Amino acid sequence: MLALLRLLLLALFFLMLSVFGFLFCLLRPFDPNHVYRFSRLFAGMAPLMGIKIRIEGWEHLPKGNAVFIGNHQSTWDLFTACKAVRPGTVTVGKKSLVWIPFFGHIYWLSGNILIDRKNSARAKGTIDLTAKRIRNENLSVWLFPEGTRSYGRGLLPFKSGAFYTALAAGVPIVPICVSSLDNIRLNKWNNGEVLIRYLRPIETQGLDRKAARELTERCHQLMSDNLEQMNLLIQQKAEGKNQQGKQQKAE
């Protein structure tokens, strides 16, 4: 019953967002702050899904533009990772996203950058275009370097596009880690806490394209270590609450 109620709420949310969001975007098409505004709406649905979000590392956010990289887990990223999107940030996604009902047209009109992953010959052109937009339009971009959802398989290997983009634009890379979403279920009242952590920026100015591989490996290791620590903290906290609840019942 709870899962059905939540599904109905999600369907209503997407319907309202598709209608009013489309009209709103038509007034100011491709405004990069649309991504931030809609991200806040998606993240606002998290409590209705029984999810509590906590963010750490605000002090690590750079004052200027950046390339944000995050781990990509599942559809739940829409209601969790979105909480970490900053103003003036657009995402880089595959062109096929446009064809998703309700979501696709808003994604396009929000100023996100669409790429053709099936055409590797255009990859460098996409990197150069994205870097140019970062510099000329005062933008930051958010990418998922894994390239696909992990679905609980841990942090997948990184593709290098995000790192070439940061090098071409001369902006720092800011890794963002989101703790495991594996335990989230629509039929559970309380889906626990999700921890999001901004890591320290990694500067790219003065580095050439040859540094992309080292940056890729460095960020993967850094994020992997932090995710392991974060998931352990979440697990310990949940076990502590369960133990406390058992003690209270026993009393």
Side-chain angles (χ1 to χ4, degrees), residues 32-229:
N33 278 315
H34 285 336
V35 177
Y36 171 72
R37 296 182 185 110
F38 290 129
S39 293
R40 303 303 288 182
L41 291 174
F42 277 107
M45 293 291 290
L48 292 176
M49 302 297 110
I51 304 168
K52 181 181 179 181
I53 300 175
R54 178 163 59 94
I55 300 182
E56 296 179 347
W58 293 101
E59 68 276 12
H60 296 150
L61 287 172
K63 295 181 179 179
N65 302 331
V67 168
F68 295 100
I69 58 170
N71 54 311
H72 195 13
Q73 300 184 65
S74 67
T75 305
W76 289 113
D77 290 334
L78 270 175
F79 308 102
T80 54
C82 275
K83 183 82 170 180
V85 174
R86 309 313 307 146
T89 301
V90 298
T91 68
V92 177
K94 54 188 179 181
K95 284 186 175 180
S96 59
L97 289 174
V98 174
W99 304 109
I100 297 178
F102 305 122
F103 178 80
H105 56 279
I106 296 177
Y107 187 83
W108 172 59
L109 286 170
S110 295
N112 292 295
I113 300 170
L114 301 173
I115 60 174
D116 185 358
R117 287 184 180 169
K118 294 182 179 180
N119 192 333
S120 58
R122 295 181 182 176
K124 187 179 184 302
T126 301
I127 290 170
D128 292 339
L129 173 64
T130 304
K132 184 177 180 180
R133 287 193 61 182
I134 291 172
R135 294 191 302 266
N136 297 347
E137 300 177 33
N138 193 31
L139 290 177
S140 293
V141 297
W142 179 308
L143 299 101
F144 293 112
E146 293 167 283
T148 188
R149 300 167 186 170
S150 61
Y151 292 114
R153 292 172 290 170
L155 193 64
L156 302 180
F158 283 178
K159 300 180 184 300
S160 58
F163 306 94
Y164 280 118
T165 299
L167 288 165
V171 297
I173 299 166
V174 180
I176 301 174
C177 296
V178 181
S179 62
S180 177
L181 308 177
D182 290 351
N183 294 326
I184 296 177
R185 300 289 185 272
L186 284 174
N187 60 352
K188 288 170 57 179
W189 276 107
N190 184 2
N191 279 297
E193 182 179 77
V194 172
L195 176 60
I196 300 176
R197 180 181 291 174
Y198 297 107
L199 305 188
R200 293 182 184 276
I202 299 172
E203 295 296 334
T204 65
Q205 286 190 349
L207 301 178
D208 59 25
R209 289 176 60 88
K210 294 179 182 178
R213 186 173 210 177
E214 188 274 332
L215 286 171
T216 303
E217 294 173 355
R218 178 181 172 188
C219 289
H220 189 279
Q221 186 63 53
L222 187 64
M223 291 178 66
S224 179
D225 291 344
N226 271 269
L227 285 168
E228 183 177 353
Q229 179 195 59

Side-chain angles (χ1 to χ4, degrees), residues 8-24 38 41 45 102 105-106:
L8 290 173
L9 287 172
L10 285 174
L12 181 62
F13 170 75
F14 275 102
L15 180 61
M16 293 178 63
L17 184 66
S18 65
V19 175
F20 294 106
F22 180 69
L23 295 175
F24 184 67
F38 290 129
L41 291 174
M45 293 291 290
F102 305 122
H105 56 279
I106 296 177

